[in-house]
Amino acid sequence: MLLFASVADRAGTRRLELPHRDGDTVGAIRDRVIERFPQLADAIPTLMYAIDEEYARETDAVPAGATVALIPPVSGG
Amino acid sequence: MLLFASVADRAGTRRLELPHRDGDTVGAIRDRVIERFPQLADAIPTLMYAIDEEYARETDAVPAGATVALIPPVSGG
Amino acid sequence: MLIRVTPDELNPGEAIAAVASPAAGAINVFLGVVRDNNLGRKVQYLEYDAYPSMAEKVMRELAGEAKERFGLEECAVLHRTGRLEIGETSLLIAVSCGHRAESFEAGHWLVNEIKKKVPVWKKEVWEDGEAWIEGPESLGMQQAPATMR
Amino acid sequence: MLIRVTPDELNPGEAIAAVASPAAGAINVFLGVVRDNNLGRKVQYLEYDAYPSMAEKVMRELAGEAKERFGLEECAVLHRTGRLEIGETSLLIAVSCGHRAESFEAGHWLVNEIKKKVPVWKKEVWEDGEAWIEGPESLGMQQAPATMR
């Protein structure tokens, strides 16, 4: 699991290893992160997600070994 | 009098000295050039003019000592 | 296609050389530059975070789509990361094509898409605080001090 | 404002440096480049004629009007003259301003105005002849051979 920008700052980390569970979805994994870092809860409505460098939906299944990323609203340029 | 591009090529010169006459207009001077270089006559409908580096009309008066230019349709860029 | 996310200075000459083509009559180059102010606040410097491998992937997809959509000859997209001072270039885009109108349209389209889709984030640092800017043109929220990172 | 008509190579880095400004968030650069074909004909090289002093004057007026009209910070316009090979830059424009949209609009407006108003002319040289191109996008008329010049 990769965290960026304000989410990484508020979690105090940019990277988490989470055990894979059968039937894991992006949303389920995100919820486990929020349990650990409740201060991130208010970011949920604005987050996007990626599985292995592809934008993904909350309901998408996460394969074992995949890299999930929490993507706050982007502001590059 | 300055000539450019196809007009200069067809006249075989880029620069003419013409004596100034009282009441000279751009058009009058151009006509004296065409007398000397009749091969330029067919360019007249497309020409624009400048007096001392400013676009000018055919009817504009030309002061003594001014530089008049025949400006074919431009194609820079 | 030249696509790169890098902490190093961006070089417009490199991007222009990368899009050179004998069939190109027009090259358009866009530089996103760090400005000394935003939404009325004086900016001291910016810090860019990125998900570099995904950012390059999305940039490559957008560059490919731009080539198709605008009939480009070539396309280069580079984004810088890390600390950037006022006047430094954060985003560098170059496109080449036959005619000028498409070069402007393609460049503008690419900047807009990049700002919407590429996983890169800027933090503004002011004299009295700092904020991650999340979302295009947002004012940002005052964040915890950097010592918490 | 950097305004120049010159037989020397145009350098995008110089134009970009000339428009740098702490208040600029966007720089747009346009390069008009010699293409290997025009209206279906293979081009060997171009030759640009100009009325340099008047061309610089008109370019300066247009740059000033663009600054006003689009709220630019700075503006550079350079045009090259003489013989230009395929891939070489004939026209170089750089503009800087606060935001990207205006930078694209200003650049595009300037190219269009320059092509309409600046006293510069290009001659296309093909394998089997040459022609002064007079008027934007005209096909040109076959001219007398160069020996008559």
Side-chain angles (χ1 to χ4, degrees):
Chain A
M1 164 74 68
L2 301 178
L3 312 181
F4 297 98
S6 70
V7 172
D9 275 8
R10 291 200 285 165
T13 183
R14 297 177 64 78
R15 196 187 172 90
L16 299 167
E17 300 288 335
L18 296 173
H20 184 260
R21 293 180 195 164
D22 276 351
D24 256 349
T25 61
V26 168
I29 290 180
R30 176 212 54 210
D31 290 343
R32 302 214 305 271
V33 173
I34 303 291
E35 272 170 42
R36 212 156 124 187
F37 303 104
Q39 68 271 33
L40 300 182
D42 66 349
I44 295 181
T46 69
L47 285 181
M48 295 186 71
Y49 308 95
I51 304 174
D52 289 337
E53 305 174 3
E54 287 280 358
Y55 281 110
R57 278 184 295 264
E58 220 177 299
T59 51
D60 285 348
V62 176
T67 300
V68 175
L70 301 184
I71 312 272
V74 302
S75 56
Chain B
M1 164 75 66
L2 303 177
L3 312 181
F4 298 99
S6 70
V7 172
D9 275 9
R10 293 200 284 166
T13 183
R14 298 177 62 79
R15 196 186 172 88
L16 299 167
E17 300 287 336
L18 297 171
H20 185 261
R21 292 181 196 162
D22 276 350
D24 257 348
T25 62
V26 169
I29 290 180
R30 176 210 56 210
D31 291 343
R32 301 213 306 269
V33 173
I34 303 291
E35 272 170 44
R36 213 155 126 189
F37 302 104
Q39 68 271 34
L40 300 182
D42 65 351
I44 295 181
T46 70
L47 285 181
M48 294 185 73
Y49 308 95
I51 304 174
D52 290 336
E53 305 172 3
E54 287 279 359
Y55 280 111
R57 278 183 295 263
E58 220 177 300
T59 51
D60 286 349
V62 176
T67 301
V68 174
L70 301 185
I71 313 272
V74 301
S75 59
Chain C
M1 292 197 301
L2 172 62
I3 305 289
R4 189 189 302 153
V5 172
T6 172
D8 300 327
E9 250 185 61
L10 303 183
N11 176 356
E14 184 192 5
I16 291 168
V19 301
S21 157
I27 294 178
N28 194 265
V29 185
F30 177 82
L31 294 85
V33 176
V34 180
R35 209 166 66 240
D36 64 3
N37 70 88
N38 191 29
L39 300 168
R41 257 184 123 142
K42 205 167 166 315
V43 173
Q44 291 199 310
Y45 63 90
L46 296 184
E47 208 160 319
Y48 280 89
D49 190 11
Y51 183 0
S53 57
M54 180 172 169
E56 287 189 352
K57 190 170 175 179
V58 176
M59 281 155 51
R60 183 168 288 110
E61 285 164 6
L62 292 172
E65 193 179 336
K67 280 178 78 167
E68 187 113 341
R69 193 184 267 251
F70 300 98
L72 303 182
E73 295 296 324
E74 261 307 335
C75 190
V77 181
L78 300 92
H79 206 303
R80 193 167 161 196
T81 56
R83 175 173 169 153
L84 272 79
E85 308 298 330
I86 307 300
E88 290 194 299
T89 300
S90 52
L91 173 64
L92 174 58
I93 296 174
V95 301
S96 63
C97 55
H99 297 278
R100 64 189 182 280
E102 293 83 344
S103 81
F104 283 100
E105 283 168 29
H108 200 173
W109 182 87
L110 264 171
V111 186
N112 288 345
E113 292 296 307
I114 286 164
K115 283 180 164 267
K116 273 189 276 188
K117 296 183 180 164
V118 175
V120 173
W121 301 269
K122 65 163 77 71
K123 185 169 70 177
E124 289 185 5
V125 180
W126 315 300
E127 210 172 291
D128 57 348
E130 58 180 46
W132 285 104
I133 307 302
E134 297 187 344
E137 271 96 65
S138 91
L139 184 58
M141 306 270 286
Q142 189 94 20
Q143 299 296 323
T147 49
M148 265 199 61
R149 293 181 67 193
Chain D
M1 291 197 302
L2 172 61
I3 305 289
R4 190 188 302 153
V5 172
T6 172
D8 300 328
E9 250 186 62
L10 303 184
N11 176 358
E14 184 192 5
I16 291 169
V19 301
S21 157
I27 295 177
N28 195 267
V29 185
F30 177 82
L31 294 84
V33 176
V34 180
R35 209 166 65 238
D36 63 3
N37 69 89
N38 191 31
L39 299 168
R41 258 186 122 143
K42 203 165 166 315
V43 173
Q44 292 199 310
Y45 63 90
L46 296 184
E47 208 160 317
Y48 280 89
D49 191 10
Y51 183 179
S53 56
M54 180 171 167
E56 289 189 350
K57 191 171 175 177
V58 176
M59 282 155 50
R60 182 166 290 111
E61 285 164 5
L62 292 173
E65 193 178 336
K67 281 178 76 167
E68 187 113 341
R69 195 184 264 250
F70 300 98
L72 303 182
E73 295 297 323
E74 261 309 333
C75 189
V77 180
L78 298 93
H79 206 302
R80 194 167 159 196
T81 56
R83 175 174 169 151
L84 272 80
E85 308 298 331
I86 307 301
E88 290 195 299
T89 300
S90 52
L91 173 63
L92 173 59
I93 296 175
V95 302
S96 62
C97 54
H99 297 280
R100 65 189 182 279
E102 294 83 344
S103 81
F104 283 100
E105 283 168 31
H108 200 173
W109 181 87
L110 264 170
V111 186
N112 288 345
E113 292 297 306
I114 286 163
K115 283 181 164 267
K116 274 189 277 186
K117 296 184 179 163
V118 175
V120 173
W121 302 269
K122 64 164 78 70
K123 186 170 68 176
E124 289 185 5
V125 180
W126 316 299
E127 210 171 292
D128 57 348
E130 57 180 47
W132 285 104
I133 306 302
E134 296 185 345
E137 271 95 67
S138 92
L139 184 59
M141 305 271 286
Q142 190 95 21
Q143 299 298 322
T147 48
M148 265 200 60
R149 292 180 68 193

